[in-house]
Amino acid sequence: MVLLYNDDCTDILRHMEDNSLDIILTDPPYGIEYLSNHYKDGNPFSEIIGDDEFPAYLIPEFKRIAKKAVFVFCRWDNLIETEGLEKPKSFIVWVKNNWGMGDLQHEFGRMWEGILFYPCEEHEFEKRLPDAIHCDRVPASQLVHPTQKPVPLLEQLIRNNSKPGDTVLDPFMGSGSTGVACVRSGRNFIGIEIDETYFDTAEKEIKKAQNQLSLL
Ligand SMILES: C[S@@+](CC[C@H](N)C(=O)[O-])C[C@H]1O[C@@H](n2cnc3c(N)ncnc32)[C@H](O)[C@@H]1O
């Protein structure tokens, strides 16, 4: 089952029942990646809605809805915004194969991103992973979203913390990478994306993954 909403997730989350799905795995807006000088010929992507605020206030809502686990991508400088909230059980580090730009004069090259991990009442590892995961980023030539996360990374988190047939929600789905990971791993997927262009991209990417699967 795949269910996609082109909407503001804050409205939809409010109407979801307690413990109504298994995993929330999401990558909310949390920086100014889209504005980076990464692109030689100008940035081909539209601005990310809400990129000026990390929505830490939604974490208690995610925990209310998920039965097994909540994973939220962030950067180290978003941690201050989680002060006063429940402490995550792990801070997973996704180590990339190359560095990002950032401030070339006064900042070390950024080579990793963080993932806050909150186990919920029914959490059980299928397989326990270390808290540093090495995975190549999506090559620039293949990007369909400016902050696209690699499907193999998402697939590892899903496969090792849920069972086939479980349901995963990504309320900030961007290009639908979490949905593609769910299709490949046999999990149900609910995705929400506010931006119509990125919503259309996600729909296409998930459909492509479903078609590839049916050809196997
Ligand atoms: C960091 S990106 C996610 C990228 C995604 N992980 C991928 O691999 O393509 C965050 C996405 O959340 C969307 N967004 C921002 N505010 C939102 C909201 N209130 N409800 C739903 N989506 C939202 C943005 O349009 C953006 O595409």
Side-chain angles (χ1 to χ4, degrees), residues 109-146:
R110 292 182 196 157
M111 204 168 169
W112 61 272
E113 284 175 53
I115 306 169
L116 303 167
F117 168 63
Y118 302 87
C120 304
E121 266 169 38
E122 295 182 23
H123 178 256
E124 234 177 79
F125 287 121
E126 294 302 305
K127 181 177 162 207
R128 187 167 178 246
L129 298 173
D131 61 5
I133 304 178
H134 293 255
C135 185
D136 290 357
R137 61 195 296 172
V138 181
S141 60
Q142 290 172 26
L143 285 176
V144 291
H145 188 289

Side-chain angles (χ1 to χ4, degrees), residues 32-33 75-77 96 98-103 107-112 137:
I32 50 167
E33 187 72 18
R75 282 199 329 219
W76 67 271
D77 49 357
K96 307 177 198 183
N98 57 11
W99 326 345
M101 298 296 231
D103 174 351
E107 192 186 6
F108 285 70
R110 292 182 196 157
M111 204 168 169
W112 61 272
R137 61 195 296 172

